[in-house]
Amino acid sequence: MEDLKNRVDELLENQEYDKALELLTENEMNGETDTWTNSTTGWILGKLGRREEALEYLRKVEGEGEESSWLCCEIGWNLGALGKSKEAVYYLNRAKELGRDDIWINSELGWNMGRLDRNEEAVYYLNRAKELGRDDNWIFEELGWNLGILKKYEEALENLVISEKMKEPDAWTNSQIGWNLGKMDRDEEAVNYLKKAVEQGREDTWVFSTLAWNLGKLDRTEEALEYLLKAKELGRDDEWINSEIGWNYDRIDKYDEAYKYLKKVEDMGRNDAWFFREYGWCIGRLEGDREEEALKYLLKAEELEKADSWLNTEIGWNLGKLGKYTEALERLKKAEEQGDSSKWLYREIAWNLGRAKKPKEALEYLRKAEDKENLTPWICTEFAWNLGKLGETEEAILYLKKAKELGRDDPWVNRELGWNLGKLEKYKEALECLKKAEEMEENSDAWLYREIGWNLGMLDEFEKALEYLRKAEEMEEADDWLNSQIGWNLGEQDKYVEAMIYIERAMKQGRNDSWINGEYGWLLTKLGKHTEALEYLKKAEEDKEKEPSNWLLEQLGDVYKEIGNYDTALEYYKKIEENDSEDSTNLSNIADILTKLGRREEAAEYYKKSKKKNGKVENYSIAANYEKMGDYENAAKYYFKVITEENRRDTWIYKKAGAVFKKIGKYVEALDCYKKAKEFNGKNSSKEIDAEIAWLERKMK
């Protein structure tokens, strides 16, 4: 046996483990075994990595009642190598109890404690090994790894950097340094180290996942997705990786892709606040009006944690899209109270305030969100929309035009611009915009047809106006406004009976303002119903919401004139004169009334005043007044001015001129006028004109 020991020791000294094992095996086969041969065989098998066999022999020694620190260390070492760290720790601690307290045993205890997630104890033993003199890269790597697990990232990094300096760092070391840097939010550095690890050949789910996590934090989303998908290809398919893939797809607005992965996470059972927030966010941005579904998950997140500013803004955003503006504003303003002062939040609050019909407040928030150096079409249109609601039409137009300059030229902006221009009585410009909106739209709505119709009416294009207003009427049940507009345009085309039908409809629908009563009264006058007309015109005058317009005063004056109440008619015409002393038509009306009242000299003065203001209408009025006064010479003079200076050419004026020329004995001039009256009258020439021509021809023979 002694000879065997010497030969084995010699072989072990030369590290010829296989030959030593052959001798010991041969000896065992001869039935010559003892504690020494079993111990040595176990030790050699451990050296050769044959751990299970090693333990078999070492257990034999243990079974013989042998207990030493050496044996406990050997058993512990092999158990640890087999991943049986719990059993390994038992034996290693037993060895310590038996007196062993060197570098090796503390290192081994530290290593196994780390694999049992007993990291605090691992650090203790590893530091003990350092105290005893261990100073290699392994000890610093192990310390770094365990300290990182304990979230002591700075200490971990210190140890790993020491290891890095001791040797050319391998993929593992670079991975660990990168991981800890990432935990310290030093993401750029983390990515550099992790990519080094990949270049060195590390290509597993851990490194790809960690690299992707850091890239995501740097908003390098496309790269992050590349590594996440690589990790997934290698088999990682847990909640975390599917959540991260979904999160990153959300960041690049690929919501359908994101949804696929987040749905899978839901199916896996993830139910924490982060997931519900992210899932709700994603669903809210899918097509198909899924705000209710989004809110379900966002509110689940709120059940699990107090809503912060982000969650309140997201809930508010979805509520706003559902038209629940008051609820949305509660959430968004809560986010503001929680410290969110972003321009995005101010824009969202403004948007909801506008839809809640609070344009003044909306503008306050828009001004907070406004970046005058970098205006966007969106903020310009929102400014315009709210300004329009407040009647700040000119400023609204400026913002709308700015939006167009910045590239927004869609139906909405053209509609809004047309609407505002119309309010400023810029009807032609308004129509250009509204017609452009119509051209852009595949199917226009009633609102647009109403607006086009209204502006056309203001331009006296009544027939075209009616065409559009009728289109609106076909698309929706006509309200009081539409019925009023149709009625007004019909009236302007002398279709008084049909006009009244529409005006009456509007009145039955509740419209009872100065305009509608005035319009109805005017239509009644056209139908010769002056007494009834007066009732409605007086109602219009008495409207407390609005001062009587000159148009209304004129209608009242005309009605009183028709019923022979010239004094009252004169009062109304005089009121118009107070408002507008240069209204030539009104001055002529005053002159006519004064004539009827026998106040001819005053009448002549008003005719002269009217002539100074407008040389067309008033020549006729002056002529008519002189005719009524019996001053036919002057009447003939002014009728001739109407024909020659104003270039008026019609049957009526030639008849009037012919009549006064006849009365003053200027038969040549009279005959010429009557012949021209006949010429203009054409086939409709009256017997009256023919008779006058015949009489004058006989008189001149």
Side-chain angles (χ1 to χ4, degrees):
M1 181 63 71
E2 191 65 34
D3 184 51
L4 176 65
K5 285 184 180 179
N6 290 333
R7 289 169 61 192
V8 169
D9 285 343
E10 186 180 341
L11 288 167
L12 292 176
E13 193 173 328
N14 294 323
Q15 298 185 0
E16 295 181 68
Y17 301 119
D18 288 325
K19 288 182 180 180
L21 186 61
E22 284 178 20
L23 287 176
L24 290 166
T25 303
E26 186 180 339
N27 184 67
E28 185 182 6
M29 289 175 70
N30 292 330
E32 299 177 17
T33 60
D34 59 11
T35 301
W36 178 86
T37 57
N38 285 325
S39 298
T40 305
T41 301
W43 183 84
I44 293 169
L45 286 165
K47 282 286 190 183
L48 293 171
R50 294 160 64 177
R51 308 289 186 182
E52 292 285 358
E53 295 173 78
L55 283 169
E56 186 182 333
Y57 281 92
L58 294 168
R59 297 282 194 195
K60 285 180 183 180
V61 178
E62 185 183 27
E64 293 168 358
E66 180 74 21
E67 187 179 39
S68 66
S69 62
W70 180 91
L71 180 61
C72 289
C73 285
E74 282 300 305
I75 293 172
W77 179 64
N78 281 283
L79 285 166
L82 288 168
K84 299 177 180 181
S85 293
K86 189 174 181 181
E87 294 174 71
V89 164
Y90 169 78
Y91 281 96
L92 293 166
N93 274 327
R94 183 64 186 141
K96 287 202 77 154
E97 289 170 7
L98 293 168
R100 185 165 181 178
D101 188 28
D102 56 19
I103 289 172
W104 184 91
I105 196 166
N106 283 292
S107 299
E108 203 62 21
L109 270 166
W111 188 85
N112 280 282
M113 288 293 188
R115 274 63 197 169
L116 291 170
D117 297 326
R118 293 163 66 177
N119 306 101
E120 290 279 7
E121 294 170 87
V123 169
Y124 169 79
Y125 287 108
L126 293 166
N127 276 325
R128 176 64 180 151
K130 273 182 68 181
E131 288 170 12
L132 293 168
R134 186 160 190 175
D135 189 29
D136 59 6
N137 68 287
W138 183 92
I139 195 76
F140 290 110
E141 283 181 349
E142 277 299 304
L143 275 166
W145 182 77
N146 280 280
L147 287 163
I149 301 297
L150 292 167
K151 300 181 181 180
K152 297 178 179 181
Y153 306 120
E154 288 201 24
E155 290 181 67
L157 193 59
E158 284 174 17
N159 283 278
L160 291 165
V161 169
I162 292 170
S163 172
E164 183 186 23
K165 291 175 181 175
M166 287 181 157
K167 68 161 191 174
E168 186 67 31
D170 56 15
W172 187 91
T173 306
N174 283 320
S175 300
Q176 284 300 305
I177 292 173
W179 184 79
N180 280 280
L181 284 166
K183 291 294 184 181
M184 296 165 68
D185 295 325
R186 293 163 64 178
D187 300 303
E188 285 283 2
E189 296 171 83
V191 166
N192 291 334
Y193 275 96
L194 291 163
K195 282 191 172 183
K196 281 182 190 176
V198 173
E199 289 167 8
Q200 290 170 322
R202 183 166 187 180
E203 294 187 355
D204 54 45
T205 59
W206 184 90
V207 75
F208 289 148
S209 300
T210 307
L211 186 50
W213 179 68
N214 284 280
L215 286 164
K217 290 199 291 173
L218 290 167
D219 293 326
R220 291 160 65 176
T221 310
E222 298 279 1
E223 288 182 80
L225 276 167
E226 179 188 339
Y227 286 102
L228 287 166
L229 293 169
K230 280 184 179 181
K232 195 163 174 67
E233 284 171 17
L234 291 173
R236 185 168 186 180
D237 192 31
D238 54 19
E239 288 180 359
W240 183 89
I241 197 159
N242 285 292
S243 298
E244 280 297 300
I245 293 171
W247 181 79
N248 279 280
Y249 271 127
D250 271 339
R251 294 308 164 275
I252 57 174
D253 302 336
K254 292 187 177 181
Y255 305 117
D256 289 327
E257 286 295 315
Y259 178 73
K260 284 193 299 185
Y261 288 94
L262 294 171
K263 180 71 173 72
K264 188 169 184 178
V265 175
E266 183 186 29
D267 294 339
M268 288 176 170
R270 185 168 183 178
N271 61 356
D272 58 86
W274 182 93
F275 171 69
F276 289 138
R277 288 157 69 108
E278 187 64 22
Y279 200 30
W281 191 85
C282 175
I283 291 169
R285 282 149 183 85
L286 293 172
E287 292 182 7
D289 301 324
R290 298 177 67 173
E291 291 83 11
E292 290 281 6
E293 189 182 353
L295 277 170
K296 181 178 80 172
Y297 289 99
L298 294 167
L299 293 170
K300 278 187 178 182
E302 189 178 30
E303 289 172 10
L304 295 171
E305 65 178 16
K306 186 179 177 182
D308 58 10
S309 62
W310 185 93
L311 189 52
N312 275 314
T313 57
E314 196 58 22
I315 291 170
W317 183 75
N318 281 280
L319 286 166
K321 287 178 72 182
L322 287 168
K324 299 178 179 181
Y325 307 122
T326 303
E327 293 174 66
L329 283 165
E330 286 176 11
R331 291 287 186 164
L332 295 167
K333 287 194 174 182
K334 181 69 176 175
E336 185 184 20
E337 290 168 10
Q338 291 170 317
D340 190 345
S341 58
S342 65
K343 291 184 184 295
W344 184 92
L345 178 64
Y346 292 147
R347 287 195 295 270
E348 197 62 23
I349 292 173
W351 186 86
N352 280 277
L353 282 166
R355 275 73 194 163
K357 299 180 180 178
K358 296 180 178 179
K360 193 173 180 181
E361 288 180 68
L363 285 170
E364 290 174 15
Y365 277 93
L366 283 170
R367 289 192 176 98
K368 289 182 182 180
E370 185 180 22
D371 183 358
K372 291 186 177 178
E373 301 301 315
N374 191 29
L375 285 172
T376 64
W378 184 89
I379 203 161
C380 287
T381 53
E382 280 299 301
F383 262 112
W385 191 71
N386 285 285
L387 286 163
K389 295 288 183 281
L390 289 170
E392 303 289 339
T393 310
E394 290 189 8
E395 196 177 353
I397 289 169
L398 289 175
Y399 274 105
L400 288 164
K401 286 183 175 180
K402 184 66 178 176
K404 291 192 81 168
E405 286 174 21
L406 293 169
R408 184 168 181 182
D409 193 20
D410 54 26
W412 186 90
V413 80
N414 281 292
R415 283 164 169 255
E416 198 70 11
L417 190 51
W419 180 70
N420 280 282
L421 285 165
K423 286 175 30 179
L424 289 182
E425 298 180 9
K426 296 180 179 181
Y427 306 121
K428 284 186 178 179
E429 288 181 69
L431 271 172
E432 284 176 17
C433 293
L434 295 167
K435 286 288 191 74
K436 189 171 183 180
E438 184 186 18
E439 289 166 9
M440 287 177 162
E441 295 173 351
E442 193 172 332
N443 295 300
S444 297
D445 57 15
W447 184 92
L448 184 60
Y449 292 143
R450 289 157 66 111
E451 279 301 302
I452 293 174
W454 181 77
N455 281 278
L456 284 166
M458 293 296 103
L459 291 169
D460 296 341
E461 294 187 44
F462 307 117
E463 213 170 301
K464 288 183 182 176
L466 273 172
E467 185 184 323
Y468 278 94
L469 295 168
R470 296 283 197 197
K471 283 183 183 180
E473 187 183 21
E474 288 169 10
M475 297 180 75
E476 64 180 11
E477 187 178 348
D479 58 10
D480 60 345
W481 185 91
L482 186 53
N483 280 317
S484 300
Q485 281 301 303
I486 293 172
W488 179 74
N489 279 276
L490 286 166
E492 293 299 315
Q493 293 185 79
D494 302 336
K495 297 176 181 179
Y496 306 124
V497 175
E498 194 179 352
M500 287 190 72
I501 293 169
Y502 280 91
I503 297 296
E504 285 172 358
R505 283 179 189 171
M507 295 171 85
K508 285 176 183 176
Q509 289 170 318
R511 187 163 185 180
N512 187 31
D513 55 32
S514 177
W515 185 91
I516 198 84
N517 284 305
E519 186 67 14
Y520 195 59
W522 177 77
L523 289 168
L524 286 166
T525 65
K526 294 299 180 181
L527 295 172
K529 299 179 180 183
H530 297 102
T531 305
E532 292 176 61
L534 192 59
E535 178 190 343
Y536 286 93
L537 292 169
K538 289 294 289 181
K539 278 177 76 175
E541 183 188 18
E542 292 162 5
D543 192 329
K544 294 178 181 178
E545 299 294 318
K546 192 175 181 182
E547 286 290 319
S549 65
N550 284 352
W551 179 88
L552 180 58
L553 294 171
E554 184 182 7
Q555 299 310 309
L556 283 159
D558 290 349
V559 171
Y560 278 114
K561 182 170 71 173
E562 287 294 330
I563 62 176
N565 190 339
Y566 301 127
D567 288 321
T568 305
L570 185 60
E571 288 175 16
Y572 280 102
Y573 294 142
K574 286 281 191 179
K575 284 181 183 179
I576 298 171
E577 187 184 15
E578 290 172 12
N579 297 333
D580 184 1
S581 61
E582 298 187 2
D583 185 338
S584 58
T585 301
N586 186 60
L587 293 171
S588 294
N589 285 333
I590 293 173
D592 286 345
I593 290 294
L594 288 168
T595 301
K596 291 182 184 296
L597 291 169
R599 296 155 64 176
R600 303 207 179 262
E601 289 186 8
E602 290 177 72
E605 287 301 312
Y606 271 95
Y607 281 126
K608 287 176 184 177
K609 282 184 187 178
S610 69
K611 183 177 183 300
K612 288 178 184 177
K613 307 303 177 188
N614 186 335
K616 293 182 180 180
V617 176
E618 290 72 19
N619 279 322
Y620 174 82
S621 298
I622 293 169
N625 188 51
Y626 277 124
E627 187 180 0
K628 289 173 185 174
M629 293 169 66
D631 187 347
Y632 301 118
E633 286 283 350
N634 275 316
K637 175 182 168 185
Y638 280 97
Y639 279 133
F640 191 69
K641 282 187 178 187
V642 174
I643 294 166
T644 57
E645 294 178 9
E646 298 176 21
N647 203 31
R648 182 172 169 181
R649 301 284 195 270
D650 59 54
T651 300
W652 176 257
I653 197 66
Y654 279 118
K655 280 175 66 180
K656 295 293 289 182
V660 292
F661 277 127
K662 178 183 172 186
K663 284 181 180 180
I664 59 175
K666 293 185 178 183
Y667 301 129
V668 175
E669 290 87 345
L671 181 60
D672 184 55
C673 286
Y674 277 114
K675 282 182 176 180
K676 283 180 178 169
K678 182 175 180 175
E679 182 185 328
F680 278 98
N681 214 38
K683 293 178 181 179
N684 299 316
S685 182
S686 68
K687 289 179 181 179
E688 179 195 353
I689 295 173
D690 290 338
E692 290 293 338
I693 292 171
W695 187 91
L696 287 163
E697 285 177 341
R698 285 197 303 274
K699 189 74 175 174
M700 292 171 65
K701 282 182 179 179

